[in-house]
Amino acid sequence: MDFADWTTLLVAATAAGWVDAVVGGGGLIVLPTLFLVAPGIAPQTALGTNKMAAVAGTSASAITFARKVPMRWRILLPAAVIAAVAAGLGAAAVSLIDRELFVPIVMVVLVGVAIFVTLRPSIGITMATHPPTRRKVILVVGLAAGLIGFYDGLLGPGTGTFLIITFATVLGTEFVRAAAMAKVINCGSNVGALIYFGATGHILFALGAAMAVGNVAGAVAGSRMALRKGAEFVRVVLLVVVIGMVIRLGWQQFA
C-alpha cells in the first residue's frame, strides 16, 4: 500500500471511532475501506486488523464516558469478560455459519430497530420512571454480553447499536448512559475476538496500530460530543447509522 492508501485507512479509522463511540457500527466504515485499498486481504485478516484498532477505540471511549457517567463496574466488568469469551467463540464459529443467510436476518433486525426508535421517540431520552432491580440489570446485561458478544465475533456490524438499544428499551436507560455501558461490553467482545484472530495469525500489526491511533482520536471526539449534546443527539445519529447499515449490508448482500 502507498501513502494514499494509508491516509485513506487512517481517515476511515478516525470516522469509525467517532461513529462507534456514539452509537456503534464503525466496522461498516473500516472493513469496506480495507477491502478497497487491499483487495487481496483475507476476510479473517481484515476482521482481525480492524479488531486491533477497535480495541483501542472502545477502550478510549469507555474511559472518556466513565469520567462523566456513573458506571456499575461490578456488573459491567464481569459482563465484559462474558462478552470476550462469547466473541472468541463467535470468531471461531465463523466458518461454520452460512453468512449468506445471516446478513438478511441482521438487516431485518436493524429495520425493526429503526422503526421502533422512530415510533417511540421517548425511548432513551429519559430515564425509566421505575428503575429496574439489580437482579434485572444483571440478567439483561449478562445475556446481552453473551448473545451480542457472540454476534460481534461472528459478524460484527452494529454490535454497539444493539447493546444501546437493549439497555434503552429493556432497562429504560437513557441513551448516553446506555452508550457508556455498551462501550465497556463492546471493549470486552473486541478483546475476545482479537485474541482469537491473533492466535490464528490474522492480524496486520503495523496497519492495526496505525489505524488504532485514528480510532482513538475519533472515539474520544465522539464520546465527548455525545456527552455534550445529550440523548436526543445520540438518538438522531443512531437512526442515521442504522439506516446506513441497512443500505450497506443490502448492497453487500444483493448488489
Side-chain angles (χ1 to χ4, degrees), residues 5-23:
D5 292 334
W6 281 82
T7 302
T8 299
L9 283 171
L10 186 60
V11 171
T14 303
W18 189 93
V19 170
D20 246 345
V22 181
V23 292

Side-chain angles (χ1 to χ4, degrees), residues 77-122:
L77 290 180
V81 174
I82 292 172
V85 174
L89 294 173
V94 166
S95 61
L96 305 177
I97 302 297
D98 187 348
R99 292 163 72 91
E100 294 300 314
L101 296 176
F102 203 67
V103 170
I105 295 173
V106 175
M107 290 174 60
V108 170
V109 173
L110 286 170
V111 170
V113 166
I115 294 173
F116 183 80
V117 173
T118 301
L119 296 179
R120 296 286 298 277
S122 63

Side-chain angles (χ1 to χ4, degrees), residues 164-197:
I164 291 171
I165 288 296
T166 299
F167 300 149
T169 56
V170 182
L171 298 179
T173 308
E174 183 261 342
F175 272 140
V176 173
R177 183 171 295 187
M181 295 168 61
K183 286 306 105 186
V184 177
I185 296 173
N186 199 183
C187 184
S189 65
N190 281 334
V191 168
L194 179 68
I195 290 172
Y196 174 82
F197 287 123

